[in-house]
Amino acid sequence: MIQYKTAKHVLTLLLVFMAGVLLSGVVVWYGSESAKTLSAIEPVYFTELNLVLSARVDTGAQTSSLSARNIEMFRLEGENWVRFEIVHPNLSNEVKVEAPVARFAEIKQANHPEPVSRPVVALVVEVQQHAYRLEFSLTDRSHLHYPVLLGRNLLQQGWLVDINQ
């Protein structure tokens, strides 16, 4: 049995335990009405593009990703911009987009020994009627079933994932 010598000792142990819980990112929302839950697959509405695409939720990805083809960098008024097309079998025509580059992301892939640099754009999306400006790295995902991958940059907005939904 552990004996605690002083109240200060107990308080120190409690603070260390609480700091460990907070730093581990453990959040419990049992019965909380503020909890928002995503299923493994979610429709995402890109408000600026008037476009709905299916997205796969990936808790291992830091940044969300959008399927893009014909990615072309250019300069506009001294800033980096990107021009690309969104192509998906569910779309009758490709959607052409021009957007400022928010940053470049170094993406680690299992099939490449070196990280791949991708342009990242910030787009306004709605997920379950909640609007966010999220960053999306651009890459050709046409060989994959879902044109959008939702990463932790969305989940950190207070979302839980329930893959059974």
Side-chain angles (χ1 to χ4, degrees):
M1 181 171 171
I2 300 174
Q3 290 185 327
Y4 300 103
K5 305 276 187 206
T6 65
K8 184 177 180 182
H9 184 74
V10 171
L11 181 59
T12 302
L13 287 174
L14 181 60
L15 289 173
V16 168
F17 172 77
M18 292 303 292
V21 168
L22 291 174
L23 290 174
S24 70
V26 174
V27 178
V28 179
W29 273 319
Y30 293 114
S32 171
E33 292 181 25
S34 65
K36 301 171 288 194
T37 305
L38 294 171
S39 59
I41 310 300
E42 287 286 337
V44 177
Y45 175 57
F46 289 82
T47 57
E48 298 158 314
L49 307 175
N50 193 28
L51 177 65
V52 177
L53 295 171
S54 294
R56 176 112 175 110
V57 177
D58 183 352
T59 60
Q62 174 59 41
T63 305
S64 297
S65 181
L66 174 62
S67 186
R69 284 193 188 161
N70 301 320
I71 300 169
E72 178 185 329
M73 301 297 302
F74 67 99
R75 304 274 296 168
L76 181 65
E77 298 179 6
E79 301 291 327
N80 287 325
W81 279 62
V82 64
R83 180 180 296 120
F84 59 94
E85 296 174 355
I86 300 172
V87 180
H88 191 266
N90 296 345
L91 300 174
S92 57
N93 295 317
E94 70 273 354
V95 177
K96 297 180 184 216
V97 181
E98 290 185 352
V101 174
R103 64 185 176 90
F104 289 90
E106 298 296 317
I107 307 296
K108 297 175 192 165
Q109 296 178 308
N111 58 347
H112 287 82
E114 297 295 321
V116 178
S117 182
R118 294 185 190 159
V120 175
V121 297
L123 300 171
V124 176
V125 296
E126 286 184 22
V127 178
Q128 296 183 9
Q129 300 179 342
H130 297 277
Y132 303 96
R133 178 169 288 281
L134 290 182
E135 289 188 342
F136 290 86
S137 66
L138 302 177
T139 189
D140 186 353
R141 296 178 52 84
S142 60
H143 62 286
L144 301 170
H145 191 69
Y146 300 99
V148 179
L149 182 141
L150 293 174
R152 292 192 311 266
N153 61 333
L154 172 68
L155 301 178
Q156 292 168 339
Q157 307 295 323
W159 289 92
L160 300 175
V161 179
D162 182 353
I163 59 169
N164 294 317
Q165 286 190 0

